[in-house]
Amino acid sequence: MFDRRKFVGSAGIGLAGLMTGCAPRAVVSPSPGPIAVDGWTVLNDRPALDAEVSPLIDDIQRRAFRYFWEVTDEKTGMAPDRWPTPSFVSIAAIGFALTAYPIGVVHGWVTRAEAAQRTLTTLEFLTNAPMGDAPRGVSGYRGFFYHFLGSTRGYRFSLSELSTIDTALLIAGVLFAQSWFDDPADPVEARIRELAEQLYRAVEWTWIMPRAPLVSMGWHPESGFIRSDWDIYNEGMILYVLGLGSPTHPLPDGTWDRWAERFEASWGTRWGEEHLHFAPMFGHQYSHVWIDFRGIRDRYMAGKGIDYFENSRRAAYCQRNYAIENPGGWAGYGADCWGLTACDGPGDFAMTTAGQKREFFSYSARGPGERDDGTLAPTALLGSLPFAPEIIEPTVQAMYFRYGAQVYDKYGFLDAFNPTITRRPPEPFKHGELRLGTGWVDKDYLGIDQGPIVAMIENHRSGLVWDTMKKNPHIRRGLERAGFTGGWLS
């Protein structure tokens, strides 16, 4: 039987403490001092936080941080796409890792010097990575990096694309490190700021606009520019802000407004209040990891009378309403069990469940009414915590108590699970396995899903990432060139 005290380590937090949201108790040790429930944090090194969270949320964030600290290569700073399955490197996961390290510092999970050295190692590896238009033996081209890199030398992995959005997520983490490591007397931190600036200035945003004013999704040395552009509302906000803020290769004036002209087709009311729809939840999360959109508005949102933060809040409620309605009749869905986004899935096959033939997918972007196959991803909830904590934290708690150790392990919630699949499919699972009482459960963690968890929990707790990025002149310049006004920009 699953012991609900297990997730907090040797100290244990009782059921009453979890349900009431009491702060975790420390194990008192004569030396070196009080130790937190994770068994490795010296509480004397933990400064007071601005907002309390439940012991479960605290543990989830700590475990998500440990994912980046422990599975990232300490000699290169390269972060794997997934773990424990052997994996190539994800450049977006590196951006999330760089964002996680200072969060570990403010909680006392690692020292500032340790985080600075890991960050410097990462930036040195990236700035020294070979660039060029050759199909092999390079890491990127014109300042952009390939989506996936090999785990040893950091060269392009297989036929992966030169990715604009994944480079943007990487650079967002780089600029966060630039602004957070601000000690003028520390040579390591000074070098971090210098390399961060170098990496950002190298990105040639204007080169990858074959169909201006839009930015292409990427490029292959074998075939040229990808035919798809960033042309609808989605996670591309961070990309356009960075491109507009560039001091060396800035996107042209009016780029944001020309892009936003296309948003109206995504505006609607299905499953909730009016908002810009993008079915998978990650599209409402990623840009918000680094930019506080509360109270600032571009021309499009000013015309709607809301901001993008409110839009993401409505998107979270939309997902919950969809799960309550549950038009697909998927097992487990309800007010206290929901969350659809891009994540692992059981595989690409069809099988009959409950007398109905259904189609299932492996890794896919899922959302209300789009490729929904009953697969739930905890990151859809936890990466949205600041938007709607009143519905998300109770859902996370209910999910934990319903499924327990079947879906919660070393680095927190496993990437995804599917309660509808309770027997083996006609072909082997691509990922994961069947687990009694739960259904299909992924066995991996994904860096791009762990990243929003650790960062957005911190934004909910203290606003650390948001407040740090407000000091970055590149971010401010990008937002202002996009036409954002009001709020903290004023």
Side-chain angles (χ1 to χ4, degrees):
M1 182 176 180
F2 174 56
D3 181 357
R4 289 174 173 81
R5 296 170 298 177
K6 179 180 179 182
F7 85 91
V8 294
S10 59
I13 295 176
L15 179 62
L18 283 168
M19 296 303 290
T20 60
C22 297
R25 297 180 181 273
V27 178
V28 178
S29 173
S31 179
I35 303 296
V37 292
D38 60 10
W40 64 312
T41 299
V42 180
L43 289 181
N44 289 341
D45 294 337
R46 294 178 69 188
L49 302 177
D50 295 332
E52 291 187 3
V53 296
S54 71
L56 178 57
I57 296 296
D58 183 71
D59 190 73
I60 291 168
Q61 186 188 28
R62 182 183 297 111
R63 288 175 185 251
F65 166 79
R66 290 179 67 178
Y67 170 87
F68 289 107
W69 191 254
E70 295 179 359
V71 309
T72 298
D73 188 337
E74 63 182 19
K75 295 180 180 179
T76 64
M78 297 297 97
D81 179 62
R82 63 177 62 237
W83 185 92
T85 297
S87 171
F88 38 74
V89 168
S90 160
I91 60 165
I94 298 172
F96 284 117
L98 291 169
T99 306
Y101 301 149
I103 294 172
V105 174
V106 301
H107 286 276
W109 299 331
V110 294
T111 68
R112 185 176 182 118
E114 289 171 329
Q117 187 56 58
R118 177 71 65 88
T119 299
L120 179 59
T121 296
T122 307
L123 299 187
E124 286 180 334
F125 192 89
L126 292 170
T127 52
N128 291 328
M131 292 279 180
D133 60 359
R136 292 178 295 277
V138 296
S139 303
Y141 182 46
R142 293 180 180 262
F144 293 95
F145 285 85
Y146 284 101
H147 190 169
F148 299 123
L149 305 178
S151 58
T152 52
R153 295 185 177 182
Y155 297 164
R156 179 194 186 196
F157 179 81
S158 187
L159 297 178
S160 66
E161 81 282 13
L162 198 73
S163 174
T164 49
I165 188 60
D166 291 277
T167 297
L169 298 175
L170 168 64
I171 294 297
V174 168
L175 293 184
F176 173 70
Q178 181 186 53
S179 289
W180 195 86
F181 289 103
D182 58 359
D183 186 344
D186 188 311
V188 172
E189 297 194 14
R191 183 61 174 161
I192 287 172
R193 297 190 296 273
E194 178 185 343
L195 293 179
E197 188 73 11
Q198 181 178 334
L199 284 164
Y200 180 47
R201 286 174 174 267
V203 182
E204 298 183 26
W205 304 96
T206 50
W207 166 74
I208 205 158
M209 301 179 72
R211 293 165 293 274
L214 301 175
V215 175
S216 172
M217 289 190 172
W219 177 86
H220 290 92
E222 296 86 1
S223 55
F225 295 109
I226 292 176
R227 295 181 180 179
S228 299
D229 296 319
W230 294 100
D231 60 357
I232 62 171
Y233 165 75
N234 49 32
E235 75 277 20
M237 287 196 297
I238 187 67
L239 182 154
Y240 279 104
V241 169
L242 291 171
L244 287 164
S246 172
T248 51
H249 306 280
L251 296 177
D253 290 340
T255 296
W256 183 282
D257 285 340
R258 296 282 300 279
W259 176 47
E261 288 172 359
R262 299 167 172 264
F263 287 2
E264 194 62 23
S266 301
W267 185 263
T269 59
R270 194 175 186 188
W271 294 304
E273 297 177 89
E274 284 189 317
H275 70 284
L276 279 175
H277 283 259
F278 184 77
M281 200 64 207
F282 76 88
H284 302 281
Q285 295 173 346
Y286 279 5
S287 298
H288 295 256
V289 166
W290 294 280
I291 301 176
D292 184 359
F293 285 100
R294 294 175 299 177
I296 65 171
R297 298 189 293 188
D298 62 355
R299 292 177 184 85
Y300 180 83
M301 276 303 184
K304 297 297 184 181
I306 64 173
D307 55 36
Y308 287 101
F309 184 91
E310 169 63 17
N311 195 79
S312 290
R313 186 193 71 82
R314 295 183 182 187
Y317 270 88
C318 167
Q319 289 227 356
R320 183 174 182 264
N321 293 340
Y322 172 81
I324 293 170
E325 181 181 323
N326 194 12
W330 301 105
Y333 281 28
D336 63 352
C337 194
W338 51 277
L340 302 173
T341 192
C343 64
D344 271 350
D348 299 295
F349 55 81
M351 65 181 294
T352 300
T353 62
Q356 182 178 353
K357 188 174 182 179
R358 300 178 182 270
E359 188 175 4
F360 298 91
F361 308 101
S362 53
Y363 186 88
S364 186
R366 299 167 169 85
E370 295 189 17
R371 296 182 74 82
D372 179 16
D373 63 353
T375 301
L376 297 168
T379 190
L381 298 168
L382 292 157
S384 303
L385 183 61
F387 306 138
E390 69 280 2
I391 61 171
I392 288 174
E393 189 159 356
T395 302
V396 172
Q397 184 169 276
M399 190 177 287
Y400 173 80
F401 279 106
R402 180 179 300 176
Y403 299 108
Q406 300 281 45
V407 299
Y408 198 89
D409 210 327
K410 183 176 183 179
Y411 297 125
F413 281 104
L414 291 158
D415 189 61
F417 63 98
N418 190 319
T420 297
I421 299 179
T422 57
R423 59 183 178 83
R424 296 191 180 281
E427 54 189 79
F429 291 123
K430 185 167 184 178
H431 299 288
E433 64 187 10
L434 284 178
R435 294 189 177 179
L436 184 66
T438 299
W440 174 85
V441 178
D442 195 10
K443 294 194 291 185
D444 276 345
Y445 296 92
L446 272 62
I448 61 172
D449 289 346
Q450 291 290 88
I453 292 175
V454 64
M456 290 298 263
I457 289 177
E458 192 57 40
N459 279 331
H460 173 66
R461 298 181 79 159
S462 69
L464 173 71
V465 185
W466 291 336
D467 291 343
T468 300
M469 293 299 269
K470 289 173 185 177
K471 299 184 294 184
N472 191 284
H474 303 309
I475 293 297
R476 177 178 287 271
R477 183 168 56 251
L479 287 168
E480 290 174 344
R481 291 197 65 223
F484 280 88
T485 57
W488 58 269
L489 283 173
S490 301

